[in-house]
Amino acid sequence: MTVSIRSEQPGDERAIRALTDAAFRDMPHADGDEGELIERLRVQGDLVLSLVACNSDKAIVGHISFSPVAIAGSEGKWYQLAPVSVIPSGQNSGIGSSLIEAGLDRLQGSGAAGILLVGDPDYYSRFGFTREHALTLSDALDPYLQMLQFEGDPPSGQITLAPAFG
Ligand SMILES: CC(C)(COP(=O)(O)OP(=O)(O)OC[C@H]1O[C@@H](n2cnc3c(N)ncnc32)[C@H](O)[C@@H]1OP(=O)(O)O)[C@@H](O)C(=O)NCCC(=O)NCCS
């Protein structure tokens, strides 16, 4: 499926919620909160970058969010990638990869020091994410915590996600 990527616009909110709920509905790792999470990020002013993928009919078929992350002792701008979703019927055709690459390009171009995420290393390593870092989030999530650094010294220590993540 050929898609175009653009920033979220007013009026996209319901489609983003519906596609996120649908994408995560049957995922074993999902907590069912992902669609609402994006709305909390938006309301709290932490939806730093929100991109949608549109098909040839201009329907939204994918979405990705980035929010700020605080790292104790680090002055660079770090962001968390989460969540990323593709409609079930469009998965495994490159849409998620296009969204991730577009988001990383934009944030690197805007001076971000790097991106963090919690996810499957088998998937995210293809974009350059690594578990080789000295950051911590929680005992349960640390095995899935990955980093992609654009510039600066490697950060270390405890990270704090946007309040929407609870
Ligand atoms: C994960 C997701 C965003 C990937 O987008 P996509 O457009 O389907 O993926 P792409 O076409 O870019 O890449 C396909 C690859 O992703 C892998 N993949 C798909 N979903 C995956 C998942 N949930 N976890 C790990 N890998 C996944 C496929 O196995 C495939 O791997 P291969 O290239 O080695 O064969 C999408 O499948 C999705 O919305 N899944 C449900 C929600 C979700 O799990 N989000 C991520 C939470 S960390």
Side-chain angles (χ1 to χ4, degrees):
M1 190 187 302
T2 305
V3 294
S4 56
I5 310 285
R6 64 167 173 79
S7 295
E8 172 187 320
Q9 296 171 355
D12 289 340
E13 297 87 347
R14 288 179 65 177
I16 292 170
R17 173 69 188 260
L19 104 83
T20 305
D21 287 346
F24 280 94
R25 188 163 294 131
D26 298 323
M27 299 305 294
H29 58 271
D31 57 17
D33 183 50
E34 290 79 7
E36 195 184 326
L37 166 65
I38 297 166
E39 296 178 354
R40 290 200 298 273
L41 287 169
R42 192 183 289 117
V43 166
Q44 294 170 5
D46 284 331
L47 200 50
V48 172
L49 181 61
S50 175
L51 299 177
V52 295
C54 300
N55 66 14
S56 54
D57 295 327
K58 296 191 165 39
I60 293 176
V61 294
H63 174 259
I64 191 167
S65 297
F66 293 87
S67 55
V69 177
I71 305 178
S74 174
E75 292 180 0
K77 291 182 188 169
W78 285 83
Y79 300 97
Q80 182 189 11
L81 185 172
V84 54
S85 322
V86 174
I87 55 165
S89 62
Q91 291 178 7
N92 295 311
S93 59
I95 299 172
S97 295
S98 298
L99 282 163
I100 292 167
E101 286 164 359
L104 299 180
D105 277 356
R106 289 202 192 192
L107 288 171
Q108 184 174 16
S110 71
I115 311 295
L116 303 176
L117 61 79
V118 175
D120 183 345
D122 284 346
Y123 182 58
Y124 292 104
S125 59
R126 71 189 66 189
F127 306 103
F129 285 91
T130 177
R131 284 190 291 172
E132 300 293 316
H133 58 72
L135 298 167
T136 56
L137 176 57
S138 70
D139 287 348
L141 296 177
D142 283 351
Y144 306 97
L145 180 62
Q146 295 155 72
M147 173 183 89
L148 174 60
Q149 184 163 14
F150 298 135
E151 62 181 44
D153 295 327
S156 62
Q158 182 69 34
I159 68 170
T160 305
L161 307 181
F165 288 90

